[in-house]
Amino acid sequence: MSADGGSGPVAAEARPVPHGPDVPGLMDAFWAYETALMADDLPTLDALFAPGPDTLRGDAAGLLVGHEAISSFRGGRGGAPARRIVRVEVRALGERHAVVVAITELLRGGRGQQTQVWERGEGGWKVAVAHVAVAAPALDRRIWRVVGTPLVPATTEGGPLTGETVAVKDLFAVAGQRIGAGNPARLAEASPEPRHAAAVEALLGAGAAVTGIAATDELAYSLAGTSTHYGTPPNPRAPHRISGGSSSGSASAVSLGHASLGLGTDTGGSIRVPAAYQGLWGIRTTHGAVPRDGLLPLAPSFDTVGLLARTPGPLARAADVLLHDVDGAAAGTGRAGMLAGAALRTVPGLVELADGDVAEAIDAALRRWAGSRRMERAAAIDEAAHTAWLGAFRTIQAREAWQAHGDWVRVHEGDLGPDVAARFRTARTVTAEQERRAREVRAVAAEEVRGRLGGGVLVVPAASSVAPLLRDSAAGGPLIEAQRERTLRLTCLAGLAGLPAVTVPLRTAAGLPTGVTLVGPAGSDVELIHLAAALEETP
Amino acid sequence: MSADGGSGPVAAEARPVPHGPDVPGLMDAFWAYETALMADDLPTLDALFAPGPDTLRGDAAGLLVGHEAISSFRGGRGGAPARRIVRVEVRALGERHAVVVAITELLRGGRGQQTQVWERGEGGWKVAVAHVAVAAPALDRRIWRVVGTPLVPATTEGGPLTGETVAVKDLFAVAGQRIGAGNPARLAEASPEPRHAAAVEALLGAGAAVTGIAATDELAYSLAGTSTHYGTPPNPRAPHRISGGSSSGSASAVSLGHASLGLGTDTGGSIRVPAAYQGLWGIRTTHGAVPRDGLLPLAPSFDTVGLLARTPGPLARAADVLLHDVDGAAAGTGRAGMLAGAALRTVPGLVELADGDVAEAIDAALRRWAGSRRMERAAAIDEAAHTAWLGAFRTIQAREAWQAHGDWVRVHEGDLGPDVAARFRTARTVTAEQERRAREVRAVAAEEVRGRLGGGVLVVPAASSVAPLLRDSAAGGPLIEAQRERTLRLTCLAGLAGLPAVTVPLRTAAGLPTGVTLVGPAGSDVELIHLAAALEETP
């Protein structure tokens, strides 16, 4: 093998002697495959995998089913990491099958294991099932920027969050660490923060430890998680699909069990969308109820601190901590019991804005919940009005984003991903007059949304679709932009009204994660989590 | 499944419908296995794995061969992580075999894939081959304490180490980070360091980035890497074996490709032993040649800064950086060309101190090298004198270690692992008079060792054995202590004489990593690496 391992056959003297029976022709096929792999010889690789829809290939990114899917994956990855085979175990499985387990040493360091089930047909030996594993990197840079064991220990023992671990979105100040905001140029210019953000301080003071600083879409101005700088964080419950964002790293860290809590933000859905895409519980808190000191703004009129968790218990406990100030006095919380007996209210037409599989999952949840809660229908939202509300949301968001970041973006447009750069180009054009008119529309919208609560809780899709497939999801690409538009139409409602929103994970009929959001009255945050948890516990 | 997933059968309604053919009896066996796994029912698990020496089970820790090895592994792990099966693919392989690929979701978060080849015999379906993979944690705490992407960027662009990444042993100051020295109590009491250690500063200034802070044996007072606090770092080239220490995390990080350079220390072998155990290149620098500012001491008379790498090129470039001060002037380096024509000198009896497989590997290397370098035999070392030298090394090391850490250890003995605690108990008893006599012996030993160089380079085993098996390697256990004693007899020679030592990775006949050390004259550090690299490049 050449030094870069990129081409040429595996010299016979470099091949370990296989342990196991001598199966005629098998080792020739095995080494032909290995040679083709190192040369990224796609036709030979395709020819050596069994044709048809039953062939399997799995790795840490997920399981691919069928020759076509495997071939398409190979065509897109640009070659396997250079490696050498250091050990081979062969087991014959009758006349026509055999399994070959190979241990690999990667030239970049680390080892791997590859288990292949081979099948002998008319065209010779071919791989029917492959399972490929390699050593993980020190840190998955798609998810994390810095991690410790922990990065910051809790400042209290025996608090309500003792034992919990937090993935902090890279918009919050962590003392001694820089804020990168998802952008390498910004990170390079940043200085270490002198103190923790208020939300970080509160979690540490309640006994949680900070595991690390997690990826965000640039300046939080996206709902996709498809970072052009660090890559899209993995979505373990929906392999080969995007993470959702902008609290993308926090969400994936929680999904993977790297942390039990994700600290994020939600301006236009940045908690609710990754929660839905990844099957997590999430809360966007009441606007203004959790202090935003030490948090990089996107659009202060809508920015809120949010949380993600795998189960509702830690979510409720952490929300309770964030919503109370250091003296334990209630900050932005409403009165206890304010949701007792509250009805679940649907708005005609809203569930239908989501894709069929998402709408079906929500309808099924509503049928389950109807046994334990009164169900009501709120007034429909006129389509033209709804469009105006969304426009007002986007106008105010853009205007404020430009006020917050315009000076920096002016000299750094080339450092931004195409999607976020395009948003700022638009943001730059928003006039004061447009903003003024948008704020008028927003005031009406907020009243209209609050009115539809009618003492109850609104049920809204958390996102317009399940997580799009990674391969269809170029940052700024048409699929991502279309889903963002459709999702914002749903998520802007809580934002316009400044209301708390709890996302409850659901599954589609095909088993993919999705979610529904319960929007409650201001200050009902923790009660809203308890209400949602009780709904899901109802037999 | 119960909430903790620890027991009880997998309820039929929680089982996904398998994709693939209906193979009689197979799914019953599959679910029986899964139920037994979640209950840690070892007899049932053993019964469902095929008997005999050919059964295979692989995971990230390595490949186990034979029913007995697999059963023993299972008995020692204390149960598999709780999980649920979310997808099952079945493929029939003739009449008597089938493969089942299952996707798992772990209750702690993350997903996994399990590929099983089943075989139908008289006792029903049994697993013949299993490959188990689960999502990696955010950070492997056996290796790392804190990691970033990078943790500290280079301070120069276009330097000799641009593109290199460094795993810094947790004894060196990194600005803004604490020094943990492998002990959680010490870490908890530590304050962030105001500036980088000199060696860290030099590497950053030459273009390298610091990936993170890597594990060390406590206060560097071990050669094993078997930390009772953080676990033993993995050894990817020798799975199921210990890492070696005390630069254990730096070594494993380099082996795994998490970093290209390991910055460590070598007092009594803490670079040379992990290099040998893991098949890495390593250098212990000339005593005093690299500034130790910002480095926590163990025994300043012997402490040296050292480096680890997968190949000699980066090792030589990094050593060159460390051995020159910031102005580029030579600090502790000797004259260029000082090893031109130098002979390789063996000391009768030294190679024989190592195990047979290690000695054979070294003899084979010497035969390879005889073609390109003059070989000479130095005078043998009298056994009683050698024992006295080792004693002097240990006495001075212990005395200085107690001077450096006694005050802290006095109030923290219960916070130390048993091996290091025992060493400090002994260290505490060393008297000034014992130290004085030891220094006299040391002066003689240093002269004797330097004399044996005779203008050439000494060839010494890097460690007395290959890496011991993890299962035999309790910290402070008899195997580890015995290997430490035997290895120190070899490694103390360079330490006593203050000489640079370069470890060259070798393989035993069985393919396990081992190493040989070349000990050169003071200041020959970088030339010694070039000499060693040239030897290994000789056809």
Side-chain angles (χ1 to χ4, degrees):
Chain A
M1 200 184 325
S2 64
D4 67 355
S7 65
V10 180
E13 64 270 25
R15 297 176 183 173
V17 178
H19 302 258
D22 184 11
V23 178
L26 179 64
M27 281 297 99
D28 290 342
F30 174 85
W31 287 112
Y33 183 84
E34 186 63 20
T35 300
L37 188 72
M38 288 300 98
D40 202 26
D41 169 1
L42 300 178
T44 303
L45 293 172
D46 280 351
L48 283 164
F49 255 61
D54 291 336
T55 309
L56 299 172
R57 184 197 177 281
D59 63 16
L63 182 67
L64 297 167
V65 182
H67 188 277
E68 198 176 329
I70 297 166
S71 174
S72 157
F73 151 77
R74 263 200 221 102
R77 77 169 159 185
R83 67 187 194 179
R84 67 191 189 98
I85 304 270
V86 294
R87 178 172 176 175
V88 177
E89 295 278 348
V90 177
R91 300 293 181 270
L93 312 170
E95 293 301 307
R96 292 185 48 243
H97 296 89
V99 58
V100 181
V101 174
I103 302 299
T104 58
E105 280 184 5
L106 280 70
L107 296 203
R108 71 180 181 213
R111 63 189 288 288
Q113 177 179 338
Q114 164 189 286
T115 299
Q116 297 168 326
V117 175
W118 291 79
E119 191 166 46
R120 195 181 60 195
E122 289 185 9
W125 286 102
K126 290 178 193 292
V127 176
V129 178
H131 183 170
V132 183
V134 294
L139 202 58
D140 189 334
R141 58 189 288 116
R142 299 171 299 174
I143 306 172
W144 292 106
R145 189 166 62 69
V146 55
V147 168
T149 60
L151 185 65
V152 188
T155 53
T156 307
E157 285 175 27
L161 299 181
T162 294
E164 305 294 342
T165 53
V166 188
V168 176
K169 187 178 188 174
D170 195 5
L171 294 177
F172 289 89
V174 173
Q177 305 287 338
R178 297 170 293 161
I179 295 178
N183 183 278
R186 197 175 171 98
L187 177 66
E189 294 169 1
S191 299
E193 294 294 323
R195 65 188 66 83
H196 297 310
V200 171
E201 187 77 44
L203 296 173
L204 291 169
V210 168
T211 297
I213 298 178
T216 171
D217 281 302
E218 287 174 292
L219 303 165
Y221 212 174
S222 168
L223 295 174
T226 52
S227 168
T228 48
H229 307 293
Y230 301 105
T232 307
N235 183 340
R237 298 241 175 121
H240 307 121
R241 292 174 182 271
I242 68 174
S243 59
S246 64
S247 307
S248 53
S250 301
S252 291
V254 170
S255 293
L256 286 161
H258 290 180
S260 61
L261 289 168
L263 178 66
T265 60
D266 188 313
T267 302
S270 283
I271 287 283
R272 292 167 282 170
V273 173
Y277 283 4
Q278 301 208 33
L280 298 172
W281 289 76
I283 182 167
R284 167 201 166 86
T285 55
T286 300
H287 188 260
V290 178
R292 297 195 300 274
D293 311 57
L295 168 64
L296 199 75
L298 172 60
S301 289
F302 305 122
D303 290 347
T304 61
V305 174
L307 292 162
L308 294 152
R310 291 193 299 281
T311 54
L315 190 76
R317 277 183 284 125
D320 199 43
V321 164
L322 290 184
L323 286 149
H324 290 75
D325 65 23
V326 283
D327 303 322
T333 55
R335 64 181 198 287
M338 67 192 287
L339 294 182
L344 298 182
R345 295 170 64 91
T346 52
V347 177
L350 280 197
V351 172
E352 293 74 7
L353 288 177
D355 283 353
D357 56 347
V358 172
E360 264 176 46
I362 295 173
D363 286 339
L366 288 169
R367 285 192 297 275
R368 282 201 306 277
W369 299 345
S372 61
R373 282 270 161 180
R374 194 154 39 91
M375 310 297 283
E376 295 178 355
R377 285 171 86 81
I381 302 171
D382 172 75
E383 195 185 330
H386 197 165
T387 300
W389 298 357
L390 173 61
F393 178 87
R394 298 180 82 161
T395 297
I396 298 167
Q397 181 188 32
R399 176 83 175 168
E400 293 188 356
W402 187 256
Q403 280 162 352
H405 301 295
D407 286 348
W408 186 84
V409 168
R410 252 183 246 277
V411 290
H412 284 287
E413 203 187 325
D415 296 324
L416 288 168
D419 48 345
V420 178
R423 254 156 244 156
F424 275 107
R425 276 196 299 276
T426 304
R428 188 176 188 164
T429 66
V430 176
T431 64
E433 173 58 17
Q434 287 170 321
E435 183 193 3
R436 195 192 55 73
R437 286 200 306 269
R439 291 202 185 271
E440 287 173 7
V441 173
R442 187 244 169 120
V444 172
E447 274 311 298
E448 289 275 337
V449 172
R450 287 185 204 126
R452 277 171 178 77
L453 261 66
V457 165
L458 286 186
V459 180
V460 184
S464 62
S465 72
V466 298
L469 282 164
L470 201 47
R471 66 164 184 259
D472 301 332
S473 304
L479 177 69
I480 294 292
E481 295 306 307
Q483 290 299 357
R484 181 166 184 273
E485 172 87 24
R486 292 176 58 210
T487 289
L488 271 176
R489 206 171 176 88
L490 296 162
T491 53
C492 74
L493 299 175
L496 287 162
L499 298 180
V502 170
T503 296
V504 179
L506 303 174
R507 295 250 186 190
T508 67
L512 286 169
T514 185
V516 66
T517 293
L518 305 185
V519 179
S524 69
D525 306 56
V526 178
E527 291 222 17
L528 199 55
I529 299 172
H530 290 310
L531 182 154
L535 288 172
E536 279 301 83
E537 279 164 13
T538 306
Chain B
M1 201 185 325
S2 64
D4 65 358
S7 65
V10 180
E13 64 270 22
R15 298 176 181 172
V17 178
H19 301 259
D22 185 11
V23 178
L26 178 64
M27 280 297 100
D28 290 342
F30 174 86
W31 287 113
Y33 183 83
E34 186 63 20
T35 300
L37 186 73
M38 288 300 98
D40 202 26
D41 169 0
L42 300 178
T44 302
L45 294 172
D46 281 350
L48 283 165
F49 255 60
D54 291 337
T55 310
L56 299 172
R57 183 197 179 282
D59 63 17
L63 183 66
L64 297 167
V65 182
H67 188 276
E68 197 177 330
I70 297 166
S71 174
S72 159
F73 151 76
R74 263 200 220 102
R77 77 169 160 184
R83 67 189 197 179
R84 66 193 189 97
I85 305 269
V86 295
R87 179 172 174 174
V88 178
E89 295 280 348
V90 177
R91 300 293 181 268
L93 312 169
E95 294 300 307
R96 292 185 47 242
H97 297 90
V99 57
V100 181
V101 174
I103 302 300
T104 58
E105 279 184 7
L106 279 71
L107 294 204
R108 69 181 183 211
R111 64 190 286 288
Q113 176 178 341
Q114 164 190 286
T115 300
Q116 298 166 327
V117 176
W118 291 78
E119 192 166 47
R120 194 181 61 194
E122 290 185 8
W125 287 101
K126 290 179 193 293
V127 177
V129 178
H131 183 169
V132 183
V134 293
L139 202 57
D140 189 333
R141 56 188 288 119
R142 299 171 300 174
I143 305 172
W144 294 105
R145 189 164 65 67
V146 56
V147 169
T149 59
L151 184 66
V152 188
T155 54
T156 307
E157 283 174 29
L161 300 181
T162 293
E164 305 294 342
T165 53
V166 188
V168 176
K169 188 179 187 175
D170 194 4
L171 295 178
F172 290 89
V174 174
Q177 304 287 339
R178 297 170 292 160
I179 296 179
N183 183 279
R186 197 173 171 98
L187 177 67
E189 294 169 0
S191 298
E193 295 293 323
R195 65 189 64 82
H196 298 309
V200 172
E201 187 77 44
L203 296 174
L204 291 168
V210 168
T211 297
I213 298 179
T216 171
D217 281 302
E218 286 174 291
L219 304 163
Y221 211 174
S222 168
L223 295 174
T226 50
S227 167
T228 48
H229 306 294
Y230 301 106
T232 308
N235 183 339
R237 297 242 174 120
H240 308 123
R241 292 175 183 272
I242 68 174
S243 58
S246 64
S247 306
S248 53
S250 300
S252 291
V254 171
S255 294
L256 286 162
H258 291 180
S260 61
L261 289 168
L263 178 65
T265 61
D266 188 314
T267 302
S270 284
I271 286 284
R272 292 166 283 170
V273 173
Y277 283 4
Q278 301 209 32
L280 298 173
W281 289 76
I283 182 167
R284 168 201 166 85
T285 55
T286 299
H287 188 260
V290 178
R292 298 196 298 276
D293 312 56
L295 169 63
L296 199 73
L298 172 60
S301 289
F302 305 123
D303 289 348
T304 62
V305 174
L307 291 163
L308 295 152
R310 290 192 300 281
T311 53
L315 190 76
R317 278 183 283 122
D320 199 44
V321 164
L322 289 185
L323 284 150
H324 290 74
D325 65 24
V326 284
D327 302 322
T333 54
R335 63 179 199 286
M338 65 192 289
L339 295 183
L344 298 181
R345 295 170 64 91
T346 53
V347 178
L350 279 197
V351 171
E352 293 74 7
L353 287 178
D355 284 353
D357 56 346
V358 172
E360 265 177 46
I362 295 173
D363 286 339
L366 287 169
R367 287 193 297 274
R368 282 200 306 277
W369 299 344
S372 61
R373 281 271 163 182
R374 191 156 42 90
M375 309 298 283
E376 295 177 355
R377 286 170 85 81
I381 303 172
D382 172 73
E383 195 186 330
H386 197 164
T387 301
W389 298 358
L390 173 60
F393 178 87
R394 299 181 82 162
T395 296
I396 298 167
Q397 182 189 31
R399 177 84 175 168
E400 293 188 355
W402 186 257
Q403 280 162 352
H405 300 295
D407 287 348
W408 186 84
V409 168
R410 253 185 245 277
V411 289
H412 284 288
E413 203 187 323
D415 295 325
L416 288 168
D419 49 345
V420 178
R423 253 156 247 158
F424 275 108
R425 275 196 300 275
T426 305
R428 186 176 190 164
T429 67
V430 177
T431 64
E433 174 57 19
Q434 287 170 323
E435 183 192 4
R436 194 192 56 73
R437 286 200 307 269
R439 291 203 185 272
E440 286 173 6
V441 173
R442 189 242 168 123
V444 173
E447 274 311 298
E448 289 275 339
V449 172
R450 287 185 203 128
R452 278 171 177 76
L453 260 67
V457 165
L458 287 186
V459 180
V460 184
S464 60
S465 72
V466 298
L469 283 165
L470 200 48
R471 65 163 184 258
D472 302 332
S473 305
L479 177 69
I480 294 292
E481 295 307 305
Q483 290 299 356
R484 182 167 183 272
E485 172 88 23
R486 292 176 58 210
T487 290
L488 271 177
R489 208 172 175 88
L490 297 161
T491 52
C492 75
L493 299 175
L496 287 162
L499 298 180
V502 170
T503 297
V504 180
L506 303 174
R507 296 253 186 189
T508 67
L512 286 170
T514 185
V516 66
T517 294
L518 305 185
V519 179
S524 70
D525 307 56
V526 177
E527 291 222 19
L528 199 56
I529 300 171
H530 290 311
L531 183 153
L535 289 172
E536 280 299 82
E537 277 163 15
T538 306

